Amino acid sequence: MDEKIYQIIYHWVKMCAAEVRQKMNCHIYLIIYWILLVTRKYWDWFPHIDGNFYFDEIHKWMLIGQYGRYIERPTFSALNPNRIQTSEYSYLIGNPMLRPTYINKFSITLVYNFRYTLTVGGNLHHDLIRQFGKEDAENSDISYVINENHNRENHWFVAITAPWQPLNWLNLNASFIGVRQDIRMYREDDYFGHFLYFANANATVLLPSDYSLEAQYNGVSRLYSGNSGIDPRHTFNLHLRKKWKDGRCVATLGVDNIFNRYNSYFSNVPSYSSQNRFELASSGRLMKLTFTWNFNHGKKSGAVTVEKKSASERSRIEGK
């Protein structure tokens, strides 16, 4: 199979009306792919639109809107039809008939004071590639995992970030993402859905002599993929840092996943349900000792960028 991809990018920036000129930037990217696949030729469109709206001159309140259409192609391991044995009673196998996934992503973000954000949006998938657990045709005691395309899968989400510094020596930062996952496996099926969440919280205590202590929590709800999924997981990390030479030299001693929580997976096939817990050294409790040095040499040059987030807008205003 031979495939050639040619890309044409057109960037259009226009300031709208005079009274809106100082408030709104419209950035539109039009990306055209021409794909030659074996003897088939076809065109496809992947537009990207970004827009910022400012409520005041200092940009304390602003809205950031984004839309884009994307394509995700299956990996070689997902296509590989050769069986990979994972245990005496289970194996993995690829699916060479997989189709690429097309995604429409859109979001709108309200930003306050360059720090607090509220985002609502959606990721709408067509032919999303998901893993399915199935029974072996010759022996029902043996199960296998194969990738298949979901006809439709839509993720509607709300995301909040809220940094807070109640004291000079205490920094708090929390983020939360809530997701409604609507799934239709096959064209003739009805939709069914789940609610998911992702949470993260950091607390940093500034200590004398350029020491700092950071505690971190990460939480994920149960995740679903076809008739399989991943059980909830909650981890806690703790790091002690020491800085020298105005922060150019940093030493860190830390423990990740203090309570030694591992990943657990489940699969529901017609005859039975299975539960698997994988204990890998890299995903369990991990002690870390790191040392970094930032030489910070050479001249810095500016680059032409599109301001898509509040952080880039704030950096421009502060001249960084």
Side-chain angles (χ1 to χ4, degrees):
M1 179 180 293
D2 182 32
E3 181 178 57
K4 297 178 181 179
I5 300 176
Y6 300 90
Q7 176 176 303
I8 301 173
I9 300 179
Y10 171 71
H11 182 197
W12 174 69
V13 179
K14 181 179 180 181
M15 306 304 291
C16 299
E19 63 274 12
V20 186
R21 187 168 298 149
Q22 295 180 354
K23 292 186 177 181
M24 188 171 184
N25 293 329
C26 300
H27 306 278
I28 298 180
Y29 294 88
L30 181 59
I31 301 177
I32 307 171
Y33 289 95
W34 176 45
I35 301 173
L36 174 62
L37 181 58
V38 190
T39 58
R40 294 179 55 196
K41 295 181 181 180
Y42 56 93
W43 290 84
D44 217 335
W45 299 85
F46 297 91
H48 294 256
I49 301 174
D50 301 279
N52 302 335
F53 181 84
Y54 309 109
F55 293 90
D56 51 66
E57 293 182 356
I58 63 173
H59 301 174
K60 191 172 184 178
W61 288 92
M62 61 178 157
L63 282 175
I64 301 171
Q66 296 180 334
Y67 166 77
R69 186 170 185 259
Y70 303 84
I71 184 172
E72 291 183 359
R73 299 175 181 277
T75 62
F76 174 77
S77 59
L79 295 169
N80 182 15
N82 296 317
R83 179 184 299 189
I84 301 175
Q85 202 75 28
T86 55
S87 72
E88 185 178 357
Y89 295 100
S90 62
Y91 62 89
L92 303 174
I93 190 168
N95 181 2
M97 302 305 293
L98 286 175
R99 298 179 298 277
T101 301
Y102 288 86
I103 312 171
N104 287 290
K105 298 183 179 181
F106 58 91
S107 65
I108 185 167
T109 301
L110 176 65
V111 183
Y112 170 68
N113 204 24
F114 301 99
R115 302 171 61 194
Y116 306 95
T117 66
L118 171 64
T119 303
V120 294
N123 298 327
L124 312 184
H125 303 81
H126 177 55
D127 285 333
L128 180 63
I129 298 172
R130 286 297 198 184
Q131 290 186 330
F132 280 75
K134 295 189 175 184
E135 295 179 2
D136 187 86
E138 298 179 357
N139 186 349
S140 60
D141 291 334
I142 298 177
S143 64
Y144 66 96
V145 175
I146 188 172
N147 290 283
E148 292 186 358
N149 291 105
H150 274 177
N151 177 255
R152 289 286 191 273
E153 183 165 329
N154 300 328
H155 301 162
W156 310 95
F157 64 87
V158 176
I160 300 173
T161 60
W164 183 39
Q165 188 176 11
L167 300 168
N168 292 334
W169 50 269
L170 179 62
N171 292 322
L172 304 176
N173 195 353
S175 62
F176 176 83
I177 302 175
V179 181
R180 168 65 182 184
Q181 181 185 31
D182 292 326
I183 303 171
R184 186 173 70 186
M185 293 188 183
Y186 305 104
R187 187 183 299 272
E188 62 275 9
D189 292 346
D190 295 327
Y191 279 98
F192 65 94
H194 310 280
F195 287 99
L196 318 173
Y197 73 84
F198 306 83
N200 175 276
N202 286 9
T204 303
V205 179
L206 304 179
L207 303 173
S209 302
D210 285 332
Y211 281 92
S212 65
L213 183 66
E214 180 183 2
Q216 183 182 58
Y217 160 77
N218 293 288
V220 180
S221 67
R222 175 170 292 184
L223 305 179
Y224 298 86
S225 174
N227 60 351
S228 306
I230 306 174
D231 287 322
R233 186 167 183 251
H234 305 273
T235 61
F236 294 87
N237 308 325
L238 192 65
H239 298 131
L240 177 65
R241 290 188 175 87
K242 167 62 178 176
K243 296 181 180 180
W244 295 274
K245 297 184 179 296
D246 297 326
R248 294 174 58 190
C249 179
V250 182
T252 304
L253 175 64
V255 184
D256 289 345
N257 195 1
I258 295 175
F259 299 106
N260 207 31
R261 304 298 185 191
Y262 289 97
N263 289 314
S264 178
Y265 304 88
F266 64 90
S267 180
N268 302 312
V269 295
S271 300
Y272 57 89
S273 298
S274 64
Q275 191 82 21
N276 299 286
R277 184 170 182 262
F278 292 88
E279 297 188 2
L280 302 176
S282 58
S283 61
R285 185 184 298 113
L286 190 62
M287 301 286 295
K288 288 184 177 181
L289 176 61
T290 62
F291 182 83
T292 59
W293 182 281
N294 182 8
F295 292 96
N296 198 25
H297 286 310
K299 295 181 179 180
K300 296 181 179 179
S301 60
V304 178
T305 60
V306 177
E307 295 167 357
K308 294 184 179 180
K309 299 181 180 179
S310 59
S312 59
E313 175 71 12
R314 185 178 186 180
S315 298
R316 182 184 65 79
I317 293 175
E318 295 177 351
K320 294 181 179 180

